[in-house]
Amino acid sequence: MIYKDFGKTGKKVSMLGFGAMRLPMMKSNDKEIVNEELAVPLMQQAFDMGINYVDTAPSYCESLSESAVGKALKGGYRDKIYLSTKNPIKDDSGDNWTKRLENSLKNLDTDYIDFYHFWGIGLEGFNSWQGLKHGPIEAAYKAKEQGLIKHISFSYHDSPANFKPIVDSGIFESVLIQYNLLDRSNEENIAYAKSKGLGVIAMGPVGGGRLGAPSEKIQGLLKRQRVSTAELAMRFVFTNENIDMALSGMSNLNMVKENFEIASRIDRLTEEEVLHINKMIEENKELAKLYCTGCNYCRPCPQGIEIGRILDIMNLHRVFEVTEHAKQAYFELINGLMWQKSASADKCTACGECEKKCPQKLPVIQQLAETHAALA
């Protein structure tokens, strides 16, 4: 395993982190629960192999992930493994923030958390907490003084344009941020966070597992050898020198071993290969523009449909052939699980306003219908 300096934290972390959001599950009394007989030894095997960072959250795995992680850290692992979890901030109350922290400490059966994240924050909410007496930021500093958390961190799903002011606040020591082969929108932000001394972790290196599905288009991006879509996606992330770790949700030992082997390889993609991959992706994006250029002249849609974004997601299916990835992205968009929210494409009333404005004269109504049929 390769280890990297984690920003200015003074810690060295394995390039592969264990994401405890896809632990093996089982049915019990008609409920889905974590199969701890499989999950606990799986995490401990990963720790024995050299992975020294585990990430969880209060709601993962039917709200049972933290408890399973806590059990995996018993038996001498706690002081060897960096533990990360998150605070799903729901209001401006520092007292409530602290209650959620205390609940995680109880679930994890530990006295401290190494990297404690403000979970999925955006700039608007963050600005409202700065300088707020008895607010979440004040509570975080107090918890750090008490030794309940070692480092204050954040995970990010807001617009890329809103990222830098949060880093510039100087509050956070590490960031967990989306980055993969087909979603490089935060590439500049990743470099910026690194330059400011933050530890940087990429989440979704294989798109939540969706880039693990075979894709002839993606597999053909590497000229010298043919590798699996998942391997290429992971190696692409590891090659970015501004990333300290890729966090992968792993549910069985084969996944752990495969990702471990990729993370342990010294031969990264060459600069020429990265440039070639980027060039081919951009060429495919140009092909995608035959369908929609993303000019957004069609906005606003009377029904609240983000037409440009939806058709962009459709191109992931139509051009890159990563259909499961596109389906999940569409689901997240129409359910408000990303920084942007849209009405579903089937809410189109065929009013024709978008087609009147489209400079390419695209059959937008038809394409919206096709998108919903393919991805819903």
Side-chain angles (χ1 to χ4, degrees), residues 183-235:
D183 184 358
R184 295 161 50 216
S185 58
N186 281 306
E187 202 160 63
E188 180 183 336
N189 287 331
I190 286 168
Y192 187 76
K194 183 72 170 179
S195 74
K196 294 295 183 177
L198 274 71
V200 181
I201 300 179
M203 59 177 154
V206 288
R210 297 182 294 277
L211 291 179
S215 165
E216 290 292 325
K217 288 281 182 71
I218 293 176
Q219 286 175 280
L221 292 175
L222 197 60
K223 292 189 291 185
R224 64 174 165 147
Q225 60 185 134
R226 192 169 184 81
V227 299
S228 71
T229 307
E231 179 177 341
L232 180 57
M234 290 292 286
R235 289 177 66 187

Side-chain angles (χ1 to χ4, degrees), residues 47-200:
F47 301 155
D48 289 337
M49 292 168 69
I51 293 173
N52 71 350
Y53 189 105
V54 60
D55 175 86
T56 181
S59 62
Y60 289 171
C61 301
E62 303 296 326
S63 301
L64 297 171
S65 174
E66 285 187 332
S67 177
V69 169
K71 290 174 182 175
L73 291 172
K74 300 299 181 186
Y77 290 101
R78 181 64 192 92
D79 294 335
K80 301 174 183 177
I81 305 299
Y82 297 122
L83 171 61
S84 159
T85 191
K86 310 176 184 74
N87 194 311
I89 304 173
K90 301 172 183 177
D91 51 45
D92 293 339
S93 167
D95 288 341
N96 290 339
W97 186 95
T98 301
K99 288 177 183 176
R100 289 188 290 272
L101 167 61
E102 291 171 345
N103 193 54
S104 284
L105 288 167
K106 181 180 178 181
N107 290 338
L108 290 158
D109 194 18
T110 188
D111 297 327
Y112 68 96
I113 294 163
D114 296 285
F115 295 94
Y116 195 54
H117 290 76
F118 280 56
W119 194 0
I121 62 173
L123 182 59
E124 183 178 351
F126 175 72
N127 283 339
S128 72
W129 303 324
Q130 291 200 78
L132 180 66
K133 197 163 183 62
H134 307 304
I137 294 174
E138 184 179 295
Y141 278 126
K142 183 178 179 181
K144 188 176 179 182
E145 289 171 7
Q146 294 172 330
L148 300 177
I149 60 178
K150 303 297 184 184
H151 303 280
I152 303 173
S153 308
F154 75 105
S155 63
Y156 191 76
H157 295 279
D158 197 4
S159 165
N162 291 336
F163 180 80
K164 291 181 181 178
I166 298 177
V167 171
D168 290 339
S169 71
I171 294 169
F172 301 103
E173 299 168 85
S174 72
V175 60
L176 178 59
I177 190 167
Q178 179 84 15
Y179 181 72
N180 59 54
L181 191 66
L182 295 182
D183 184 358
R184 295 161 50 216
S185 58
N186 281 306
E187 202 160 63
E188 180 183 336
N189 287 331
I190 286 168
Y192 187 76
K194 183 72 170 179
S195 74
K196 294 295 183 177
L198 274 71
V200 181

